[in-house]
Amino acid sequence: MQLRVTFVAAARSSSLLAERFEDDRPLDQAGWDQVLGVAHDLLPLSAAELRYCSPTPRSRATGDALGYSPLVQLALRDCDMGRWRGLTLGEAMAREPESVDAWLADPRATPHGGESLLAFISRVGEWLDTRPMEDGGRVVAVAEPAVVRAALVYVLKAPPSTYWNIDVRPLSAITVTGRAGRWNLRFEGVSEQPTRA
């Protein structure tokens, strides 16, 4: 039995440099424009039997704008960043440089008083492993880019440090197939267009 889960990264709510830990701001105008620009390509995912999203305003708005009417999943929330919530990485670094260095170096570290990177990856993986199984079933989940990164680390059974090497862009989509504990990363091909003579 195989399940097909497609993660769609939420549209943006700020520029990359202004991204904040546990950002709960709504979509900005550029984010809305991005959704409208790719809606045609992502709309077919609304046929999935199960449609979920992270609890952030931008994830919910992205899912609704794409016609998914997603169900909020608390397990798909961003990493709990404790006292760094709402800060950019630069702001946290300016306030607590040693703590940020420790957090980046050790996936078990919680210098911010929140959730460790390892616990975050495990939480997202557990959510993935507990999706209802129906052979050939399809799931779509609109989530924060951090959640998509955590899911990929879990699926690939990669070291937690791999998390820092995965770049998830707004409105990118990635599909995994399989079942609990046995997931595969799937890259979709582009259908060939007929060539003109």
Side-chain angles (χ1 to χ4, degrees), residues 159-173:
S161 61
T162 306
Y163 177 88
W164 306 116
N165 302 107
I166 299 173
D167 185 18
V168 176
R169 307 312 265 166
L171 295 168
S172 58

Side-chain angles (χ1 to χ4, degrees), residues 116-151:
S116 72
L117 178 61
L118 190 57
F120 174 49
I121 292 168
S122 296
R123 169 170 48 86
V124 173
E126 183 177 322
W127 176 86
L128 185 60
D129 282 347
T130 58
R131 292 309 84 213
M133 287 296 294
E134 182 176 316
D135 198 25
R138 294 172 299 162
V139 174
V140 64
V142 179
E144 294 301 307
V147 172
V148 179
R149 289 162 63 186

Side-chain angles (χ1 to χ4, degrees), residues 29-58:
Q29 187 58 52
W32 281 110
D33 293 344
Q34 285 178 331
V35 172
L36 295 175
V38 301
H40 178 72
D41 295 328
L42 295 176
L43 187 60
L45 294 172
S46 66
E49 289 87 1
L50 298 170
R51 298 173 303 278
Y52 301 115
C53 70
S54 295
T56 60
R58 73 179 182 174

Side-chain angles (χ1 to χ4, degrees), residues 36-192:
L36 295 175
V38 301
H40 178 72
D41 295 328
L42 295 176
L43 187 60
L45 294 172
S46 66
E49 289 87 1
L50 298 170
R51 298 173 303 278
Y52 301 115
C53 70
S54 295
T56 60
R58 73 179 182 174
S59 292
R60 290 191 313 262
T62 299
D64 286 340
L66 292 172
Y68 300 166
S69 300
L71 177 65
V72 171
Q73 298 284 280
L74 291 179
L76 293 179
R77 68 191 180 281
D78 211 338
C79 187
D80 176 358
M81 296 305 292
R83 69 178 171 276
W84 295 348
R85 184 177 198 276
L87 299 179
T88 65
L89 179 60
E91 291 168 346
M93 183 65 88
R95 293 179 186 186
E96 302 178 45
E98 295 85 16
S99 295
V100 172
D101 287 342
W103 174 67
L104 292 172
D106 181 0
R108 290 178 174 81
T110 58
H112 45 60
E115 186 175 29
S116 72
L117 178 61
L118 190 57
F120 174 49
I121 292 168
S122 296
R123 169 170 48 86
V124 173
E126 183 177 322
W127 176 86
L128 185 60
D129 282 347
T130 58
R131 292 309 84 213
M133 287 296 294
E134 182 176 316
D135 198 25
R138 294 172 299 162
V139 174
V140 64
V142 179
E144 294 301 307
V147 172
V148 179
R149 289 162 63 186
L152 291 175
V153 171
Y154 182 80
V155 163
L156 295 172
K157 296 181 177 158
S161 61
T162 306
Y163 177 88
W164 306 116
N165 302 107
I166 299 173
D167 185 18
V168 176
R169 307 312 265 166
L171 295 168
S172 58
I174 191 73
T175 299
V176 300
T177 60
R179 62 182 188 276
R182 295 185 56 114
W183 295 99
N184 299 300
L185 184 58
R186 180 179 177 137
F187 291 94
E188 305 289 339
V190 177
S191 59
E192 289 188 25

